[in-house]
Amino acid sequence: MLLPLAQANPVGGLNLQFDPPVPWSSAWGPTFWMALVGVPVTIILLYFLKLRRKPVQVPSTFLWKRSMEDLHVNSLFQRLRRNLLLFLQLMAVLLVMLALLGPQMKGSTRVGQRYVIALDTSASMSATDVRPNRLDEAKARALELVDSMGSNDLAMVIAFAESARVVSTYTGNKAQLRDRIASVRPARSGTSLRDALEVAAGLANPSKQFGEGEIASEVQPPRLMIYTDGGFPDVEGFSLGNLIPEIVVLGEPPSEAQSTPGTTAEEASDPGVPPSNNVAILALQTARNEERPDQIQLFGRVRNYRDEPAEAVARLLRHELDQPIGEGRLIDAIEVSLPARGARSFKFDLPDPGPVGLEVRLDLQDDLEQDNHAYAAIGRPRQARVLVVTSGNRYLLNAMTTATAGDAAEVVEIRPDDLETDDIRRALLAGLYDLIVFDRVAPAEPPVGNALYLGAMPPGEAFDQARLVEAPIVLDWDIGHPMLQYVRDLPLVLIREARVVDPPPGSTTLIESDKGPLAFITPRDGYSDAVVGFSIYGEERALNTDWHTKLSFPVFLYNTLRFLGNVEEGLGDQVQRPGQPVVLRAAPTADAITIDPPQGPPSDVGRSDLGTFVYNNATEPGLYRLSWGSGDAIERSVFAVNLFDPRESNLAPRGVPPEGVTGREAEPYLIKIGYTEVAGTRTSRPARLDRWWWLAMAALGFVLVEWYVYNRRVYI
């Protein structure tokens, strides 16, 4: 128990506190301290009882006057006056009593301690196994540390989840630190300790200035206080430097020791995984029934982290796009029986509902509410409107009108001469086409929409320096780009002639050759121009390449239709996680889209240089409604954000080995930062300098002086 005597002493930076071995609040505390207070009182009483007078007969009253004077001298205040032995004994007892109070002191006149307080705000920190939740408990622990700081101590605060942010730079202002810590809010994403360590290492040792105007005269190794439940992977390849880490582990410990801490991403029914009171939805995906195309199937997986079987009801709710996301309308429900620390799958079959948002909700009580919900988005399938400008390139037209490509796009063919007609000009300037393919021809002005140029260059000064090269050889291509997915045989393609140019700034090279870039994609006023420097035909209708005989040719064109044509299947097959950017597509005429999140006001997002809409505020799991257009032409869509993180759903804390587990058996429970294994603790308090022994030594000195005075009969 800490009894603060003085929070701070501006003279010398003193911070004095007492930590008695027998607190007053303990069972024997009142008796012990009352008995201790009675010691000096007893010593004083003994001095009064020490004098014993005996009646004596005297032959004369001549000595009466002297006796009266002796009685006056032995009065109360006269006896206490000039008694050195009594003074020494009382001082010794007083110093012993102060030593038993356990005085502790922090701070000095020259150097203060520095703290880096890192608060884990990830999804698992919202668990309620610690009341009210783990994050609030972490903030309370951090506030205790701030309260114990001395006047020369400095602290900074970092909040981390999927990424880290500085909540407060170095300051010794306790009120400001309290406000900043209280302002930390829970995140709904996973955990990355590496980001927090990188931020802490970068800000741990400023040379002199400490952000909030604080200046240190000497450099102290900072103490890194990490308040977390350990739900993150080990940090490989990181050096702590002069950071001194201390991990305070929060969360209800497992009831029994387990052989492994259970933090792997894929978890089956494993008795080695410590149990926790949580049931989570870890996957949810929609697909169209191949046998019945008018039917949508919803597949999901639920995991039970408890040490006993669980029964749950999974309810399927429907959310309309023209209404704010609320409780939803129940359309189906199934019972899910889960084994102890095991997983089960479930499936819903429903008629194609059109553009809606779907929610699966588990009806049960556990320690983490967030992963009891999962969301899926079903949009309206959208075909791309594609205009092909070619002089009868049948290989190009055949590849773009296959059955698969026909499902993705509606293709319209025109001749190069048609570009001069008023109808086509107005269509290109009005953005009526998602993608325009120019085969060996270029328009006078860039169209309003994405474009693919084959054997031609877009209009503009940046492409005037294109040069003709012969027999280029493909050296490399960007297999990670969506337009080149599943493209593998480009080195086998023979090319007679091609046009190459240095791509403008901001471009992405798709295909590289020994003569320069053969293909690249470049941004243009919110749209994208993809350029391939060669076409199937050359001059006078002669074949210029054999690419049309390779499998990669139709694959490349189909990828281009999907990527540049804004094709949407209508089923949200891509998993969006909280905190990650979401790339969205809309009609080519839309300059901005409105996004209505599950919580908070709607916001508008403009078209990027690549023709997409990038939304960076998808921080909450749930359904996000999209809309663009005006009046009767408003179009709506939806996308879903889900947690789906086994590390966050597994609420068993990591960092503290179970009781009785030591040595190599304890290594899996330790948190590794680089090559350093850090053992966590469940309780932590700031380091203080014990000063009780100073008082004990002073008391011993007074006792020695008292012994000397008594034996030498020294009087004052």
Side-chain angles (χ1 to χ4, degrees):
M1 182 179 102
L2 296 178
L3 304 175
L5 178 65
Q7 290 297 329
N9 184 355
V11 180
L14 175 65
N15 188 315
L16 184 62
Q17 295 181 339
F18 294 99
D19 188 11
V22 183
W24 177 267
S25 58
S26 64
W28 293 95
T31 303
F32 174 81
W33 290 107
M34 292 299 293
L36 193 62
V37 171
V39 172
V41 178
T42 303
I43 293 176
I44 295 174
L45 291 177
L46 288 176
Y47 265 81
F48 287 107
L49 296 176
K50 183 175 67 174
L51 183 63
R52 296 289 187 269
R53 291 188 176 89
K54 297 180 180 180
V56 178
Q57 293 182 356
V58 295
S60 173
T61 61
F62 178 76
L63 298 177
W64 285 8
K65 183 178 181 179
R66 184 71 176 268
S67 298
M68 293 298 296
E69 292 178 355
D70 185 56
L71 289 174
H72 178 71
V73 169
N74 287 300
S75 64
L76 175 62
F77 295 103
Q78 292 295 326
R79 295 201 59 184
L80 294 179
R81 185 182 304 169
R82 295 185 179 182
N83 197 323
L84 180 60
L85 290 178
L86 177 61
F87 171 75
L88 293 175
Q89 291 171 0
L90 290 178
M91 285 300 299
V93 171
L94 178 61
L95 291 174
V96 170
M97 293 175 64
L98 290 176
L100 288 174
L101 284 173
Q104 298 173 334
M105 193 163 47
K106 290 184 56 183
S108 65
T109 58
R110 298 176 65 241
V111 182
Q113 179 66 56
R114 286 188 292 150
Y115 298 95
V116 179
I117 301 173
L119 295 172
D120 184 356
T121 62
S122 61
S124 60
M125 293 294 287
S126 297
T128 57
D129 55 341
V130 178
R131 299 294 179 181
N133 56 58
R134 293 179 178 180
L135 180 57
D136 286 345
E137 177 66 18
K139 291 160 64 174
R141 301 280 189 92
L143 290 174
E144 291 178 1
L145 175 62
V146 170
D147 291 339
S148 69
M149 289 170 51
S151 62
N152 280 6
D153 294 344
L154 302 174
M156 66 178 297
V157 183
I158 298 173
F160 69 96
E162 195 76 35
S163 59
R165 63 182 180 91
V166 177
V167 178
S168 173
T169 54
Y170 272 118
T171 180
N173 188 329
K174 293 186 179 181
Q176 177 176 310
L177 288 171
R178 294 189 191 99
D179 292 341
R180 298 289 177 86
I181 292 174
S183 68
V184 173
R185 294 292 178 263
R188 306 298 183 186
S189 59
T191 317
S192 174
L193 180 61
R194 177 180 293 274
D195 285 357
L197 293 176
E198 290 176 350
V199 172
L203 299 175
N205 290 304
S207 57
K208 189 175 182 181
Q209 193 74 22
F210 285 92
E212 302 287 348
E214 301 288 349
I215 299 177
S217 58
E218 293 186 15
V219 175
Q220 279 283 92
R223 289 181 60 191
L224 175 60
M225 305 295 298
I226 305 174
Y227 298 90
T228 179
D229 55 11
F232 47 79
D234 293 332
V235 182
E236 303 291 343
F238 184 86
S239 176
L240 286 168
N242 64 345
L243 286 173
I244 304 175
E246 180 177 342
I247 299 178
V248 180
V249 180
L250 304 164
E252 187 72 21
S255 58
E256 58 182 14
Q258 306 292 332
S259 59
T260 59
T263 58
T264 57
E266 292 295 332
E267 297 170 317
S269 184
D270 184 3
V273 178
S276 58
N277 182 27
N278 192 37
V279 177
I281 303 176
L282 297 182
L284 188 67
Q285 189 174 12
T286 56
R288 194 170 298 276
N289 192 333
E290 296 182 358
E291 298 179 355
R292 299 180 57 184
D294 59 339
Q295 188 179 74
I296 300 296
Q297 294 180 318
L298 196 67
F299 302 93
R301 186 165 66 94
V302 183
R303 178 169 177 80
N304 178 23
Y305 290 93
R306 296 172 175 173
D307 206 17
E308 57 187 16
E311 299 288 336
V313 176
R315 301 182 184 274
L316 179 61
L317 306 173
R318 172 172 176 159
H319 298 272
E320 303 295 340
L321 300 188
D322 57 352
Q323 301 174 3
I325 302 299
E327 286 297 320
R329 180 168 61 87
L330 179 65
I331 58 177
D332 202 353
I334 58 174
E335 292 186 359
V336 182
S337 299
L338 299 165
R341 288 188 256 178
R344 286 289 184 270
S345 298
F346 63 86
K347 184 184 73 169
F348 288 102
D349 294 316
L350 65 155
D352 189 348
V356 295
L358 299 177
E359 176 188 357
V360 176
R361 183 183 304 167
L362 295 181
D363 287 350
L364 80 167
Q365 296 292 326
D366 55 19
D367 288 338
L368 187 62
E369 171 68 17
Q370 178 179 331
D371 54 15
N372 293 344
H373 303 257
Y375 305 90
I378 299 180
R380 180 179 289 107
R382 183 180 183 277
Q383 281 188 321
R385 299 192 62 191
V386 180
L387 179 67
V388 180
V389 185
T390 180
S391 297
N393 188 340
R394 61 187 180 92
Y395 299 109
L396 174 63
L397 294 173
N398 290 341
M400 300 193 71
T401 55
T402 61
T404 303
D407 293 336
E410 176 186 351
V411 179
V412 177
E413 175 196 0
I414 65 172
R415 310 288 291 186
D417 296 339
D418 296 333
L419 290 174
E420 304 300 327
T421 63
D422 293 338
D423 292 342
I424 297 299
R425 282 184 176 182
R426 285 194 296 267
L428 294 181
L429 294 178
L432 297 183
Y433 294 98
D434 300 287
L435 173 63
I436 304 97
V437 181
F438 297 99
D439 181 31
R440 298 180 60 240
V441 64
E445 297 179 1
V448 177
N450 299 325
L452 170 64
Y453 294 87
L454 300 174
M457 291 291 164
E461 296 180 359
F463 306 99
D464 291 342
Q465 303 300 321
R467 62 188 185 277
L468 191 66
V469 297
E470 295 183 354
I473 300 175
V474 175
L475 300 179
D476 194 14
W477 65 100
D478 187 359
I479 61 175
H481 196 276
M483 293 176 63
L484 294 177
Q485 284 185 339
Y486 313 112
V487 174
R488 297 294 183 268
D489 56 6
L490 287 180
L492 304 178
V493 175
L494 300 178
I495 305 170
R496 286 186 177 180
E497 294 180 343
R499 294 181 179 272
V500 297
V501 69
D502 293 332
S507 303
T508 300
T509 299
L510 301 178
I511 304 175
E512 187 68 57
S513 74
D514 60 337
K515 304 294 178 61
L518 290 180
F520 58 89
I521 185 170
T522 183
R524 168 184 51 84
D525 297 332
Y527 301 100
S528 297
D529 289 335
V531 179
V532 179
F534 61 95
S535 181
I536 302 299
Y537 289 105
E539 298 296 334
E540 298 181 357
R541 300 288 298 172
L543 286 175
N544 185 52
T545 178
D546 63 349
W547 193 17
H548 60 284
T549 65
K550 303 296 189 290
L551 182 61
S552 59
F553 182 65
V555 173
F556 171 79
L557 291 177
Y558 180 72
N559 290 340
T560 303
L561 287 178
R562 294 183 58 84
F563 182 70
L564 295 180
N566 299 327
V567 176
E568 294 182 0
E569 295 289 347
L571 300 178
D573 54 350
Q574 184 177 1
V575 177
Q576 306 289 352
R577 300 189 184 278
Q580 296 181 350
V582 181
V583 179
L584 304 168
R585 300 181 183 275
T589 55
D591 295 328
I593 61 176
T594 300
I595 300 179
D596 189 5
Q599 298 181 9
S603 60
D604 294 334
V605 179
R607 186 184 292 271
S608 68
D609 292 339
L610 298 177
T612 58
F613 302 87
V614 182
Y615 185 62
N616 294 310
N617 295 323
T619 57
E620 294 286 336
L623 295 170
Y624 291 72
R625 298 186 302 155
L626 319 177
S627 61
W628 61 89
S630 60
D632 296 334
I634 293 181
E635 296 188 52
R636 303 183 187 275
S637 186
V638 64
F639 70 89
V641 175
N642 291 284
L643 177 61
F644 294 163
D645 192 336
R647 291 187 185 275
E648 297 300 319
S649 296
N650 180 9
L651 301 182
R654 186 172 74 104
V656 178
E659 187 175 352
V661 178
T662 58
R664 290 187 175 274
E665 296 181 355
E667 291 182 0
Y669 294 90
L670 304 180
I671 296 175
K672 297 180 181 179
I673 303 176
Y675 296 102
T676 305
E677 293 182 344
V678 183
T681 178
R682 296 196 179 276
T683 58
S684 175
R685 64 179 174 182
R688 297 179 177 85
L689 300 177
D690 291 324
R691 292 295 179 258
W692 61 268
W693 56 274
W694 286 5
L695 300 174
M697 294 298 295
L700 178 61
F702 276 100
V703 170
L704 292 177
V705 173
E706 192 268 348
W707 174 84
Y708 175 79
V709 171
Y710 179 80
N711 284 277
R712 297 298 300 270
R713 298 296 191 270
V714 176
Y715 298 98
I716 297 179

